[in-house]
Amino acid sequence: MKVHQEQSRRLRAIEAAKYLRVSRSTLAKWRMAKIGPPHHRCGSRLVYYFVHEIDAWLATCDAAVNGQPR
């Protein structure tokens, strides 16, 4: 059960940026360009990410870099 709770953990944008080891502005630029990990909004200012969606996005990026189909 702990693994499931960790995967569904929600991160605010600043926490997601730290998790990805990028700046908050880079993460914001990715959102605007629609190239980053899936994000969710609550109102106009609150942006959050789910850890399992970030991990899946990273796996897709790794596959693309290694020449594997998405």
Side-chain angles (χ1 to χ4, degrees):
M1 181 90 168
K2 175 121 172 114
V3 172
H4 179 62
Q5 288 175 344
E6 179 64 26
Q7 287 180 339
S8 65
R9 197 174 94 198
R10 186 171 43 193
L11 302 176
R12 304 236 359 217
I14 186 85
E15 297 167 320
K18 287 179 184 177
Y19 184 82
L20 288 164
R21 296 182 181 181
V22 298
S23 69
R24 192 171 66 184
S25 65
T26 294
L27 196 56
K29 288 174 187 173
W30 288 352
R31 277 195 310 271
M32 287 187 280
K34 298 183 185 259
I35 60 171
H39 68 280
H40 306 271
R41 288 192 176 271
C42 183
S44 62
R45 300 192 80 184
L46 178 61
V47 177
Y48 62 93
Y49 297 80
F50 287 107
V51 171
H52 72 279
E53 291 179 339
I54 294 173
D55 291 341
W57 177 77
L58 287 170
T60 301
C61 292
D62 288 344
V65 168
N66 293 324
Q68 298 171 5
R70 290 183 174 191

